[in-house]
Amino acid sequence: MKTANAKPAAVQAAPPPLLSGGNPQIAKGYGDAPVQAYIAAMPGWKADVGCRLDALITRTVPGVHKAVKWNSPFYGVECQGWFLGIHCFAKYIKVAFFRGASLSPVPPETSKQKDVRYFHIREGDRLDEEQFAAWVKQASQLPGERMQGACRSG
């Protein structure tokens, strides 16, 4: 029996579409909300890893700036640029350190861009949180990539 205060069941929004390779298609936006939407849309095991990465980055770099650009979360320091980006592929998560060649130790995956290094996380991999946090801390202290939105004044 319905009461006068009863409300219809909430209609759940459809999850965002996944692009080729399983990367969530999330609208460009600045701040924590679009990054959290991206993480929530990461398929399968990747969502849990995305939550862990986001928490580690946020804890390691208090006040970190966040955005979703080109369907990928970006992390940066205001007016210093973006130091890290995350992207989902079918079989792994790619973490891009934009000045990764300057980190110690250097992240294991190379790039066509001489300064960029990648760290790949596959299902079942054990994430060395101490090493990841050390890379994040180092990366946040280097000059970042100057893409639109890295600084509130421009």
Side-chain angles (χ1 to χ4, degrees), residues 23-41:
N23 196 50
Q25 185 175 12
I26 302 293
K28 176 181 173 181
Y30 295 91
D32 189 53
V35 171
Q36 295 309 316
Y38 177 94
I39 291 168

Side-chain angles (χ1 to χ4, degrees), residues 76-148:
V77 176
E78 185 174 10
C79 296
Q80 292 181 22
W82 304 103
F83 61 84
L84 180 153
I86 297 173
H87 195 86
C88 284
F89 287 91
K91 297 188 185 271
Y92 64 95
I93 298 170
K94 178 191 283 188
V95 179
F97 291 97
F98 302 129
R99 298 281 183 256
S102 298
L103 303 180
S104 179
V106 175
E109 305 295 331
T110 60
S111 170
K112 292 177 184 176
Q113 300 169 13
K114 70 178 179 99
D115 292 331
V116 176
R117 293 293 289 214
Y118 301 117
F119 177 63
H120 295 169
I121 304 167
R122 291 176 173 75
E123 186 172 15
D125 283 355
R126 182 190 157 276
L127 176 63
D128 182 341
E129 292 187 4
E130 188 175 320
Q131 178 59 70
F132 186 79
W135 280 331
V136 168
K137 183 173 183 172
Q138 291 175 59
S140 72
Q141 295 170 348
L142 296 169
E145 284 295 313
R146 299 285 187 173
M147 298 177 224
Q148 183 181 3

Side-chain angles (χ1 to χ4, degrees), residues 11-82:
V11 177
Q12 291 188 348
L18 297 179
L19 299 170
S20 175
N23 196 50
Q25 185 175 12
I26 302 293
K28 176 181 173 181
Y30 295 91
D32 189 53
V35 171
Q36 295 309 316
Y38 177 94
I39 291 168
M42 292 170 81
W45 62 271
K46 296 172 189 153
D48 288 337
V49 173
C51 284
R52 286 178 62 202
L53 295 175
D54 182 71
L56 280 165
I57 296 164
T58 302
R59 189 170 49 244
T60 303
V61 185
V64 68
H65 285 244
K66 301 179 185 183
V68 170
K69 301 162 144 306
W70 304 287
N71 297 303
S72 296
F74 282 72
Y75 295 82
V77 176
E78 185 174 10
C79 296
Q80 292 181 22
W82 304 103

